[in-house]
Amino acid sequence: MSGTTPEYAGPADGETGFDRPLHFTLPGRNARGRVVRLGPVLDTILSSHAYPAPIRRLLAEALTVTALLGTLLKDGLGQLTMQAKTEDGAVELLVCDYRAGELRGYARHDRSRLDELGPTPSLFSLFGEGFLAITFDLASTNQRYQGIVPLEGASLAEACERYFAQSEQVPTLIRVAVDNTPGDCLAGGILVQHLAEGEEGRERLHVRMDHPEWDHVSALAGSISHDELLDPALGLETIVWRLFHEEREIRVETGAALTRGCRCSVEHYRDVLSRFPAVDRVEMQNDEGLIVVDCAFCSREFAIDIPD
Ligand SMILES: [Zn+2]
């Protein structure tokens, strides 16, 4: 894939909401949600890698889910990390993270095993018996919450729904659509959650996944189509309005713009390498005495010199 910036026929942001999530709440239903449509940011991230189509699609889906989950963080500098891991699948590791509007991600896979799976492999055939770990790192309090669930379901979105049900006891609906055109990849997603018995942060003593209020909201949200999530002519507010226009009140708020962000730097790698034993570092050096490392997220190469 080329590294050029793609051009879009539609508006870059604003009404169509490319790379800028929309937050919404339905106060009368104790529900909150996010809608996001990834455009240029997705191509920027994907263009760092020459992934085959099934991996591109998987990573696009993962980045969309990561954006939806990341924007739930109230902590402005908190980080959301999504990791999918397996011992026996064609995809060995998938990592995406979100911090303050910055998204990044990569997938490590076995090309020959992937090719055996055909053009549209299922989540199970990609990962086998895998696990999904979702980690919320809160910068303000230095707290870390991690939940790990089996990687089950037809999609990553479904596996994440199970994470919220099992690890957090929060009924959650996630839908993601991906248009996997190389160099012009688009993805759209919606997340809706029921905050049992009221306000965010309140302790949930009696969790009911079958709350009638939630049944209603999830049925409405679940009626969204792939085409609606992807259609650049359909603004994010229009989507929310279409789904919930019969509700007494819908509050919407524009979220922070999404960009590709990577935190790799010479200093970062020098710090990592300095923790290796000196003898190992010598083995890693090239003829010029430099250690060449490349960032898994953005494929940038760094030549690091470490003074003895
Ligand atoms: Zn990087």
Side-chain angles (χ1 to χ4, degrees), residues 135-148:
T135 312
F136 288 91
D137 285 295
L138 305 184
S140 55
T141 55
N142 249 335
Q143 282 172 299
R144 162 174 279 208
Y145 302 96
Q146 187 177 57
I148 300 176

Side-chain angles (χ1 to χ4, degrees), residues 104 262-264 269 295 297-300 302:
R104 59 180 187 168
C262 206
R263 303 191 281 283
C264 56
Y269 287 111
C295 175
F297 284 101
C298 69
S299 301
R300 274 168 71 193
F302 295 87

Side-chain angles (χ1 to χ4, degrees), residues 33-298:
R34 304 286 185 264
V35 204
V36 71
R37 186 174 284 138
L38 302 185
V41 72
L42 198 53
D43 274 315
T44 307
I45 296 171
L46 294 173
S47 66
S48 300
H49 312 275
Y51 288 141
I55 299 297
R56 209 171 52 233
R57 170 177 291 279
L58 180 73
L59 190 57
E61 183 184 356
L63 287 162
T64 309
V65 174
T66 301
L68 290 169
L69 265 55
T71 55
L72 295 175
L73 282 162
K74 273 178 274 175
D75 185 330
L77 284 175
Q79 179 169 313
L80 176 281
T81 309
M82 184 165 87
Q83 276 191 63
K85 235 179 188 169
T86 179
E87 298 288 306
D88 60 351
V91 180
E92 293 143 12
L93 178 67
L94 171 83
V95 185
C96 294
D97 65 35
Y98 169 98
R99 190 173 72 175
E102 292 187 343
L103 265 182
R104 59 180 187 168
Y106 72 94
R108 208 166 63 211
H109 62 285
D110 181 327
R111 186 64 199 255
S112 59
R113 294 191 58 185
L114 185 73
D115 288 345
E116 290 166 14
L117 302 176
T120 51
S122 68
L123 188 69
F124 182 79
S125 67
L126 285 172
F127 283 98
E129 302 276 341
F131 288 89
L132 176 73
I134 307 271
T135 312
F136 288 91
D137 285 295
L138 305 184
S140 55
T141 55
N142 249 335
Q143 282 172 299
R144 162 174 279 208
Y145 302 96
Q146 187 177 57
I148 300 176
V149 293
L151 202 50
E152 292 171 346
S155 63
L156 274 178
E158 236 178 77
C160 278
E161 288 178 350
R162 289 171 195 216
Y163 158 79
F164 278 107
Q166 289 173 28
S167 273
E168 305 218 358
Q169 285 89 48
V170 178
T172 303
L173 176 137
I174 305 174
R175 293 286 182 275
V176 173
V178 174
D179 175 355
N180 194 17
T181 308
D184 195 12
C185 201
L186 285 185
I190 186 167
L191 171 149
V192 187
Q193 293 191 313
H194 188 234
L195 303 166
E197 316 306 338
E199 294 307 307
E200 298 181 30
R202 183 166 155 185
E203 206 164 339
R204 296 180 292 271
L205 295 174
H206 305 288
V207 176
R208 290 182 51 186
M209 302 301 278
D210 63 343
H211 202 291
E213 209 170 53
W214 171 243
D215 289 346
H216 181 73
V217 170
S218 60
L220 293 176
S223 70
I224 187 97
S225 72
H226 275 221
D227 289 348
E228 286 173 307
L229 283 172
L230 292 173
D231 182 0
L234 202 59
L236 300 184
E237 284 196 22
T238 309
I239 286 180
V240 172
W241 178 248
R242 271 196 190 180
L243 294 173
F244 303 111
H245 61 93
E246 285 178 3
E247 295 300 309
R248 196 189 299 228
E249 187 186 2
I250 313 168
R251 293 185 198 156
V252 295
E253 190 190 339
T254 305
L258 297 166
T259 55
R260 191 272 294 272
C262 206
R263 303 191 281 283
C264 56
S265 64
V266 170
E267 292 72 28
H268 169 72
Y269 287 111
R270 193 172 281 145
D271 180 49
V272 171
L273 289 167
S274 69
R275 290 181 233 144
F276 281 81
V279 57
D280 291 354
R281 287 205 302 264
V282 170
E283 241 169 61
M284 290 185 242
Q285 283 172 359
N286 63 14
D287 294 343
E288 284 90 51
L290 300 170
I291 301 173
V292 179
V293 285
D294 62 332
C295 175
F297 284 101
C298 69

